[in-house]
Each structure stands twice: as C-alpha cells, then as structure tokens.
Amino acid sequence: MNFDKSKRLFEEANKVIPGGVNSPVRAFKSVNGTPLFITKGEGAKMIDADGNEFIDYIGSWGPHLFGHNPLFIKNALTEALENGTSFGAPTETEIKMAQLVIELVPSVEMVRMVNSGTEATMSAIRLARGYTGKPKFIKFEGCYHGHADYFLIKAGSGALTLGVPNSPGVTEGNAKDTLVARYNDIDSVYDLFDKNKDEIAAIIVEPIGGNMGVVPAKKEFLQALRKLCDEQNCVLIFDEVMTGFRVAKGGAQEVYGINADLTTFGKIIGGGLPVGAFGGKKEIMETLAPVGPVYQAGTLSGNPLAMAAGVAALTHIKNNPDIYSELEEKASWLENAFKENLNQQNKNFAMNRVGSMSCMFFTETEVTNFDDAVKSDTKLYADYFHGMLKRGIYLAPSQFEAMFISTAHSNEMLEKTANAHYETMKEILG
Ligand code: HOZ
C-alpha cells in the first residue's frame, strides 16, 4: 500500500497547522506513523488521498452508527440547505430534536443543544455548580470529558495517548476544584466526600469509559454513585458523548437501568455534524439562562443543518429499534473471532466490549480502570495497528480509544477483518 500523497499532505499541513492536525489523536503519533488524509467515506469504507480503501472502525470517533454518509442524513441535509445555513434564531427543527432526545432517553426532561461534547460537559458542570451552589466536582482517572481546563487532570483520550494527562496551561486555580477518584472504586469516592464536606456539586462519569480504551463501569459502582448523589445533594452527570444512542437507544443508562440527573451527548446526536447537547431534570435545567441565572449560549447552537442531520439520525434510531441487536450480533461475532485467534496464539489479551464499542488491550490482565489500562504494551499495539492498516483495516491510532462497528459493516467485511487480525497477530507475535 502506498501512502505517498498522505505523507506529502502531512508535510504541508505541518507548516500551517500545529502537528498537522486539528485534533491530536488523529496524528498517529503514538503509533509512530503519519496520518492518512481522507477523501471519501461511504458506508463502512473510507478512501484516502492515495486511493487506498479501508474498512473503517473509527467511524469519525463514534458518530457513524449507520456508516458514512447514509442516504437519509444526506437527504435531510440537502433539504435543509435549501433554506439557509444559520439564523441565530429558533427553528421548529430544534423542538423536534429536543422531543426526540426526551423520548429516547427517559431521564432527560429538558435539553439544550451545543456544538460539541466539550461544550456539553463544561456547561453541565457549570449548571451543576450553579444549581447546588457548591464549587467542586469529582471526575475519574482515565475518563475524558473534553478539553475544558478543569477536566484536563488525569484525563483520557488524546491527553493519555500523548502522555500529558495533566495539561500545561491549566492553572492551579482551575485545577483545585477538580477531585479525582479511581474508576470502579467507590471507596475512593467516599474518601473524597469525607474530605470535602458539603463542597461537591457533581460527579461526572463515563458510565462506559471510552477514552482509556473501553472500560465499562460495574453496575454496583454506578448504583453507589447514584445513591451517594441522592444523599449528598450532588448532581450525577453521565457523560454519554460516546455511549449515547450507541450502546442502546437510551444509552448506557438504559443498559444499566440507572438514571442520571444530567446527561451530556455528542457524536451520534449530530448525525456526523458538530453537535453536542446536555439535558436532564427540568428542575435543574431551568436554572439555565434565560429562565435562571446560569449563563450558557452559542451563536451556532441548534444550527439548522446540524439539527436536520441530528433529527434524521435520531428518527432513524427511533424507527429501527432492531439495529441494536444487529450491532450486538456483528460485534460479538468479531469479538469471538478475535478471541479464538488469541487462544490459538496462547494469548489472553483483555477484551472489553459493550454492544458496538470494543477494545482489545495488549495486556493479559483484566482491565477495569486506568491503572489496568496503562499496563498495555503500546509498542505492540502500534505494530498491530500498522499490520491491520496495511491489510485495509482502519483502527484507532491509539491503544486508548474504542473500536466502533456500524450497521454498514457487512458480514463479508467482518470476515475480512478477522482474517487481517489472524495474519497480523501471527506477524507481530512471531
Ligand atoms: N477525542 C476523540 C477521541 N476520543 C478524538 C477526536 C479526533 O481526533 O477527531
């Protein structure tokens, strides 16, 4: 496979964009490579600038539940485009969007649209602080909630991938109200409550961690967080930017049967356009301006093109509830194929999966938190990544991200992926 044109474009990009990319993980730095420049996505496939074709398991880092460019989203966008691109004024589509989110996610009674997952999480924290009148919040090691200053403390995703989980540029003042606990370890949370009496406004958690690889929370852990928040007048925020509409139509909270007070969304909710949202209990949401005093705003929030794509995506989900069993079947087939091969190789690498989100960790011990995840052999992962890439399989260029399957992945593609996996593992494990 030839990557000459992508390499040339990367050199050019580096002259005008820091690191040649607009988001760090996609630079392929942690796998010692140079990124592919993409020209087209169709279904589960992507084509790069050199004309190479790949089966894509990133799916734009989560949004493409139905593969790239599905006709129903394309049609909705074309129709919306006829009427203009942005008004900075309310539209009827925004109401439809809010109604759909409320219908699909039972804990959400009101919702506000924003432009990204980062905006959603930072707004949710401000809202929780404004609502409770308390300053601090708890996050978990290895969870990633976007790049607002006070989240970049023991953060996952690109921050973890590039080895800078605590970013320079975040002041002490900004960091001091962020309390960090261990994922799946309720005692570490109790401890923080003991030491910060009546000061904790919120707990924010990815109910299925997706930014230290895929690490699902234990049900008892989430139940204990729910109980604690009820007892301590603390807002439980589920960051479902990745899991929302991905693991079930009602997200991780449907899978676990636990309701959050506030939920943040991104990715699928925008049907591939830049959209985020946060929503939850009416009583909390009505603390937001212009009803209440907590300020939050955005010129492009509820943008008509973004709303058209989002409504098309959520309507498709609502009308096709069977997609989740289809995704489960496909993803479990691939998981079993990988596991069978690992057995043949006498390896027992940890594999975590919830529905169409999965991750194989290059470590033989179970992965239930950040410390377990970072035991992975990232050099071996880099070899695996390149082995798969040259066989036409496009995976996340980092051990600490998820593999996403869409409804557009055909059985034939899954078989091709399993074969590429066998050959790659033989090559890298010797
Ligand atoms: N934060 C994303 C992964 N969890 C990466 C986004 C990107 O590079 O596009």
Side-chain angles (χ1 to χ4, degrees):
M1 228 176 234
N2 179 333
F3 299 123
D4 290 353
K5 184 147 187 216
S6 275
K7 284 188 180 143
R8 265 203 320 279
L9 289 171
F10 190 49
E11 275 167 30
E12 245 177 81
N14 267 294
K15 294 178 197 154
V16 287
I17 304 170
V21 290
N22 282 314
S23 189
V25 189
R26 61 177 85 158
F28 283 28
K29 202 168 168 180
S30 76
V31 290
N32 271 326
T34 52
L36 303 185
F37 281 67
I38 303 301
T39 52
K40 191 175 165 65
E42 196 73 63
K45 295 208 167 154
M46 279 207 311
I47 298 175
D48 73 4
D50 292 280
N52 302 309
E53 197 177 279
F54 299 92
I55 303 174
D56 175 23
Y57 287 96
I58 302 183
S60 185
W61 303 93
H64 295 320
L65 189 65
F66 328 101
H68 292 266
N69 220 2
L71 193 61
F72 57 91
I73 291 183
K74 200 149 71 176
N75 287 344
L77 275 170
T78 312
E79 200 180 305
L81 194 56
E82 285 299 312
N83 298 320
T85 56
S86 177
F87 311 123
T91 64
E92 201 174 334
T93 323
E94 289 167 274
I95 308 173
K96 178 87 191 135
M97 182 72 173
Q99 286 168 338
L100 276 165
V101 177
I102 290 165
E103 186 179 339
L104 295 175
V105 189
S107 70
V108 175
E109 294 170 351
M110 291 189 119
V111 62
R112 163 105 7 127
M113 305 310 300
V114 291
N115 300 291
S116 69
T118 290
E119 261 190 69
T121 51
M122 72 181 207
S123 305
I125 288 291
R126 185 184 311 132
L127 177 57
R129 285 170 161 162
Y131 173 74
T132 60
K134 297 191 274 189
K136 300 187 179 176
F137 73 92
I138 296 179
K139 77 171 282 287
F140 295 91
E141 280 178 9
C143 283
Y144 178 74
H145 305 290
H147 58 86
D149 285 353
Y150 44 80
F151 287 129
L152 290 180
I153 295 150
K154 299 221 168 163
S157 190
L160 171 58
T161 299
L162 301 178
V164 281
N166 308 304
S167 174
V170 176
T171 62
E172 238 173 80
N174 244 316
K176 80 174 179 8
D177 289 330
T178 305
L179 307 172
V180 182
R182 273 164 57 91
Y183 198 69
N184 274 327
D185 176 356
I186 195 65
D187 289 335
S188 69
V189 182
Y190 292 146
D191 199 40
L192 290 174
F193 271 91
D194 281 348
K195 292 183 180 136
N196 298 275
K197 283 227 169 333
D198 299 323
E199 286 191 292
I200 301 174
I203 297 178
I204 185 165
V205 63
E206 290 181 77
I208 297 164
N211 289 287
M212 47 179 155
V214 174
V215 183
K218 296 189 172 123
K219 187 167 184 177
E220 317 78 74
F221 173 68
L222 293 180
Q223 280 168 333
L225 294 183
R226 178 65 278 172
K227 186 159 175 277
L228 198 55
C229 284
D230 290 339
E231 289 163 2
Q232 301 281 341
N233 176 32
C234 176
V235 178
L236 181 61
I237 306 172
F238 275 5
D239 181 346
E240 297 232 39
V241 167
M242 267 186 171
T243 51
F245 317 104
R246 158 71 57 190
V247 292
K249 74 177 169 39
Q253 33 202 305
E254 181 182 317
V255 172
Y256 286 96
I258 297 168
N259 281 348
D261 297 317
L262 289 181
T263 305
T264 57
F265 301 99
K267 310 210 187 254
I268 292 171
I269 202 172
L273 269 81
V275 179
F278 61 105
K281 285 187 177 153
K282 188 165 189 268
E283 185 191 323
I284 305 178
M285 291 301 288
E286 287 196 329
T287 318
L288 273 183
V291 193
V294 177
Y295 197 69
Q296 190 282 329
T299 297
L300 290 167
S301 297
N303 170 270
L305 293 183
M307 290 304 97
V311 165
L314 297 192
T315 306
H316 191 80
I317 287 170
K318 180 181 154 188
N319 295 339
N320 297 278
D322 291 350
I323 58 175
Y324 294 100
S325 43
E326 179 191 335
L327 288 165
E328 172 62 31
E329 213 175 286
K330 288 180 171 171
S332 85
W333 185 89
L334 197 62
E335 180 189 14
N336 288 333
F338 280 19
K339 279 187 172 157
E340 212 177 283
N341 172 258
L342 286 169
N343 271 340
Q344 285 161 14
Q345 301 273 347
N346 274 330
K347 286 281 174 197
N348 188 23
F349 290 147
M351 283 194 65
N352 286 345
R353 180 179 73 79
V354 183
S356 57
M357 269 174 88
S358 66
C359 181
M360 181 174 76
F361 293 91
F362 283 80
T363 170
E364 301 215 20
T365 49
E366 200 193 1
V367 176
T368 62
N369 61 29
F370 174 82
D371 289 338
D372 297 336
V374 295
K375 281 187 200 136
S376 306
D377 183 341
T378 51
K379 286 210 174 56
L380 199 55
Y381 181 83
D383 293 344
Y384 176 71
F385 168 83
H386 287 291
M388 292 296 272
L389 193 68
K390 73 179 180 202
R391 292 175 173 89
I393 312 297
Y394 187 72
L395 301 174
S398 162
Q399 168 71 91
F400 305 114
E401 298 286 350
M403 177 178 187
F404 294 107
I405 287 182
S406 74
T407 54
H409 285 84
S410 65
N411 292 344
E412 197 194 334
M413 290 176 191
L414 298 177
E415 273 165 35
K416 186 173 171 203
T417 308
N419 286 333
H421 174 85
Y422 300 158
E423 287 170 20
T424 304
M425 290 304 259
K426 209 156 90 194
E427 185 175 283
I428 66 170
L429 296 176

